[in-house]
Amino acid sequence: MASMMGTPATTRTLHDRLKHSISRTALRSYLAEFISAFLFVFVVIGSIMASRELLPDGTNTSDPSCLVAVAFANAFALSTAVYIFGASSSSDTKSASSGAHVNPAVTFGLAVGGHISIPTALFYWIMQLLASSMACLLLRVATADHVVPTHAIAVEMTGFGASIIEGVTTFTLVYTVYAARDARKGPLSAIGPIAIGFVAGGNVLATGPFSGGSMNPACSFGSALVNGSFKNQAVYWVGPLIGGAIAGLVYDNVVFPVTSVQHSAVDSGINDGHGTNSNSGF
């Protein structure tokens, strides 16, 4: 995430936040967020469809190779999206760096932590949901109406249990995002996007057979919309949003509390995700 041109988020009025959220720089950031979310969903959902296509019966997704393929797709796609759109090394405040949230739960976690304004977060959600829906629609059209898979929970599980799993995995993902963008740990380098991708891929390997390993409400929503099935959709919103919010609160207030001296440095690495005037984070 990048800075708000040196203005701490806590000192700006609502009018200032709204004005900033519709500025030209903000619009560039929304476009960058759309592209990053589209890239991620296209690769992840496409990898599931490709895995099914390569299996003998075309429908069996219990093959371990499918799980590994989807986990790698998650890791590669998320790492790439974060690396491309997560930060800019230049001092150009008009650069289109959105922070590559890719995920409404990440955006929500950052908003709860006070690192991104509510108006901006809402615009990010719109871009993420639109990008996911368009990516899934493109996959369906381009593959001659192949079924777009949706995230689903195991038959022996309850929605409550699946929500807990999704919440825990999203907690680890958002917590890693916080750690990767923390200016106190130094500038974001290649290891930051790789770490975020690794935790996402690892979570898919651990929970894919149980809840689908989504961690991303936008990805689940887009595939459900195009496939026309919203069964258990609440699982992929409630769990991730709660997990992301707790991760933001725990990181900034419990494990690595921000002191008054460090506050401006941390804010410079994340506020609103528009533009950049530092190399401190994404």
Side-chain angles (χ1 to χ4, degrees):
M1 267 43 70
S3 74
M4 285 295 304
M5 296 174 246
T7 304
T10 55
T11 64
R12 300 199 315 276
T13 66
L14 178 59
H15 178 268
D16 291 334
R17 290 171 182 264
L18 289 172
K19 183 178 179 180
H20 182 80
S21 295
I22 57 175
S23 65
R24 182 175 299 179
T25 301
L27 296 179
R28 291 194 182 98
S29 294
Y30 301 148
L31 176 60
E33 184 66 17
F34 176 90
I35 297 173
S36 64
F38 183 94
L39 181 157
F40 175 78
V41 175
F42 185 86
V43 172
V44 170
I45 299 300
S47 70
I48 301 174
M49 297 174 69
S51 297
R52 289 182 174 182
E53 185 71 14
L54 292 174
L55 291 174
D57 61 3
T59 59
N60 179 23
T61 57
S62 61
D63 191 307
S65 63
C66 288
L67 179 63
V68 174
V70 175
F72 272 93
N74 269 267
F76 293 159
L78 189 54
S79 295
T80 302
V82 172
Y83 181 79
I84 294 173
F85 297 104
S88 173
S89 59
S90 71
S91 60
D92 178 13
T93 59
K94 296 183 179 180
S95 61
S97 175
S98 70
H101 299 182
V102 180
N103 186 337
V106 172
T107 301
F108 187 66
L110 294 174
V112 169
H115 296 295
I116 182 171
S117 70
I118 298 301
T120 297
L122 292 175
F123 281 116
Y124 270 46
W125 274 25
I126 292 172
M127 290 296 102
Q128 291 157 355
L129 294 174
L130 182 60
S132 176
S133 300
M134 291 190 66
C136 292
L137 180 60
L138 177 62
L139 282 168
R140 180 164 186 170
V141 172
T143 58
D145 284 337
H146 275 60
V147 176
V148 175
T150 58
H151 291 106
I153 63 175
V155 291
E156 67 273 13
M157 289 185 62
T158 64
F160 179 73
S163 294
I164 292 177
I165 289 178
E166 285 294 314
V168 171
T169 53
T170 307
F171 173 91
T172 61
L173 174 62
V174 177
Y175 194 90
T176 304
V177 169
Y178 261 82
R181 63 83 196 172
D182 194 339
R184 294 168 293 178
K185 296 180 181 292
L188 179 71
S189 59
I191 192 62
I194 291 175
I196 295 170
F198 275 11
V199 74
N203 283 339
V204 172
L205 287 173
T207 66
F210 304 111
S211 67
S214 171
M215 300 169 281
N216 190 325
C219 187
S220 297
F221 173 82
S223 59
L225 179 66
V226 172
N227 197 44
S229 174
F230 289 92
K231 185 178 181 180
N232 295 318
Q233 186 68 195
V235 167
Y236 303 105
W237 283 89
V238 176
L241 292 182
I242 293 176
I246 294 175
L249 294 174
V250 169
Y251 188 93
D252 267 354
N253 297 281
V254 180
V255 183
F256 296 104
V258 181
T259 66
S260 58
V261 176
Q262 297 169 326
H263 183 75
S264 61
V266 174
D267 275 343
S268 70
I270 199 169
N271 281 338
D272 281 348
H274 306 326
T276 180
N277 63 5
S278 72
N279 224 2
S280 58
F282 71 93

